Amino acid sequence: MASDDVANLADSLAKAQVNEGELSYKGQGLKLDNAQSVEEMVKEIEEFDGLRALRLEGNTIGLEAAQTIAKALEKKSDLQCCHWSDMFTGRLRAEIPPALVSLGDALITAGAHLKVLDLSDNAFGPDGVKGIEKLLKSAACHSLQELRLNNCGMGIGGGKILAAALTACHKDSSALGAPLQLKVFIAGRNRLENDGATALAQAFQLIGSLEEVHMPQNGINHPGVTALATAMQHNPQLRVLNLNDNTFTKKGAIAMAEALKHLRNVQVINFGDCLVRSEGASAIAETLREGLPILKELNLSFGEITEEAALDVARSVQLKDQLEKLDLNGNSLGEEGCDSLREVMESMNMADKLGSLSDDEGEPEEDEDEDDDDDEDVEEEEEEEEEEEGEGEEEKSELNQFSTPPSAPRTPDVSSFLSFPSPDKLLRLGERRSSLIQQKVDVLDVGKTAEAFLKISSVYKDDDAEVKSAVLESIDAVLSKAFFTPSFQGLSFVSSLLVMLGLLKSEDKLKVVKVVPGHLQCLEHAVKQSYFPRDHITVLNAFMARQNKSLEVCSSSRDRLKLTLQKLVPES
């Protein structure tokens, strides 16, 4: 190992955060290939008494390094939280399952009792799920409360393996008198489709303790949605249900509406971009009138809902005194319908709860037969499942890539992408994506321009060339148009961006976002372009030089941006 590599690792170890039993190497960009590369880390782990949480996310760990770390964990019986997302970037697909097996076996040997297991953003596929199967079935996970597997490319097969492991865990823990009490389940962007979702639904029904379920962008149609609806009825403490960007259609929406009648603790419902359609929306409105007493947020955006059904939904929330937001954007209301919706909300003194309607699709030209659409959905899902089985045999990609969801039957529009951005949606906009986004963003509104920048950059993936190129092209299209527009207020844009990133306080109602590396990486790209004014770089540099907790989770990207800004600051 080169001396400068040792020095870099030493610096990273010095930065490791130690908070109440937590040892963190989060976001340090360490490339750990072998036993020698983790010597200092292993020493830190071994000498840390009472280790309860280990954060390894944002690094890249090879098989030998993982096995060496695992050896150090074999005596850490107090370990409860494993934050291990995004730690296999660039690794061979064959390396990941045995690395997960080694780490899992170490936790079992240690007699650990996990509460949190986060393996998100590790595109390990079905084989990776097999790598954690033994751990999930073991006594180490009888105490598990949060399981986070977002963007892992599990597919239908991985979903079934996961469901079986959770079922076994619940059965074995129940036999010992302390049933598994899983509270949070996150598995967005995993290509689970109907069969994977149905298998998991059966496990959820058995577990019965879920409080949050997040399964967006999984290619689930109404059979899978209906299975999940049945399972949710058996989880009375459910607070958050996020199934964004799946395909409910009328049948799935009605089934979900019936299920929600049995739940009293739901606070957040996200069925955006789910094609709930008008009849589904009316069914949900009926449920709202009868129950869901503490609902705070309801998202039914981009669902092909027409005026009458939207007004029905609006009137149904009249007595929801805890409601904070109703999102009906991107539906088919028409200009008069949008006005009527605003009037209804104003008449109930809830105008401030209604989200933007700027992306309304206008009144539909003709009614569609939803039953026919449902039949088409079934045929399409069967075809996709057959393709999935064939692809499972052919999948031989050597380098680990972030997973992307399957192509949905419909092509997303720019409004849908900007409302709920994902790499897949961006790519599916096609070759003209950058010009389409440029046309959509109102650059005369600096707040909307800053928001669009953050939405687009949030899906940036440095290790996915296609996504990276699409993001940067779109960023350049929007910002070049903005800065080349004479009336564009560039400094106000920079100020809005700083406020949204949590670097500047403001009395304006600008929402502070959760900062991700893509935000800073795309900003680093933008400041190097000819369209970005040099004097604005001075302002950015001044704020980036300050210490700010909101950027600590992206320390590596932050440091690169700071270095770039320092190089570009005009000489006085």
Side-chain angles (χ1 to χ4, degrees), residues 28 82 133 184 188 213 222 224 250 253-254 267 278-279 294 310 347 358 368 381 430 440 493 559 563:
Q28 295 182 12
C82 298
E133 183 179 12
V184 178
V213 174
H222 73 81
K250 178 183 70 176
I254 290 174
Q267 298 177 19
S278 296
E279 289 189 59
I294 59 173
S347 71
S358 61
E368 297 179 353
E381 94 200 11
K440 186 68 177 177
F493 162 77
D559 293 343
L563 183 61

Side-chain angles (χ1 to χ4, degrees), residues 329-500:
N329 197 19
N331 283 299
S332 305
L333 310 185
E335 186 175 345
E336 292 183 3
C338 288
D339 290 339
S340 297
L341 180 58
R342 293 188 186 98
E343 289 173 5
V344 167
M345 295 298 286
E346 286 176 4
S347 71
M348 301 186 301
N349 295 318
M350 301 179 77
D352 60 328
K353 312 300 183 187
L354 181 64
S356 170
L357 299 174
S358 61
D359 297 315
D360 187 74
E361 298 289 342
E363 295 183 59
E365 294 183 3
E366 58 180 336
D367 293 332
E368 297 179 353
D369 189 328
E370 294 181 359
D371 288 334
D372 287 345
D373 285 348
D374 284 345
D375 291 339
E376 291 172 6
D377 287 339
V378 173
E379 293 173 2
E380 288 166 350
E381 94 200 11
E382 290 173 350
E383 292 172 1
E384 290 169 0
E385 288 171 4
E386 290 172 1
E387 291 171 2
E388 175 75 18
E389 292 173 2
E391 290 169 0
E393 297 298 322
E394 297 172 2
E395 188 176 12
K396 302 295 182 182
S397 174
E398 284 297 307
L399 287 177
N400 175 43
Q401 299 287 336
F402 281 111
S403 63
T404 55
S407 297
R410 65 190 188 282
T411 301
D413 57 18
V414 176
S415 299
S416 176
F417 166 70
L418 291 175
S419 296
F420 305 102
S422 73
D424 179 61
K425 281 186 181 179
L426 180 62
L427 295 180
R428 281 161 52 201
L429 288 174
E431 296 294 329
R432 295 183 59 244
R433 65 180 70 88
S434 59
S435 61
L436 291 172
I437 293 173
Q438 183 190 64
Q439 293 168 18
K440 186 68 177 177
V441 177
D442 180 8
V443 298
L444 295 181
D445 187 323
V446 295
K448 289 183 178 179
T449 305
E451 183 179 6
F453 171 85
L454 294 174
K455 292 275 191 179
I456 299 167
S457 59
S458 69
V459 305
Y460 179 90
K461 298 294 182 186
D462 200 34
D463 64 345
D464 189 321
E466 187 178 10
V467 173
K468 179 179 179 179
S469 176
V471 169
L472 296 182
E473 286 176 5
S474 301
I475 291 291
D476 288 340
V478 171
L479 293 189
S480 61
K481 177 184 176 182
F483 284 116
F484 290 150
T485 300
S487 56
F488 181 67
Q489 301 294 316
L491 286 175
S492 295
F493 162 77
V494 171
S495 296
S496 297
L497 199 59
L498 290 169
V499 170
M500 292 179 182

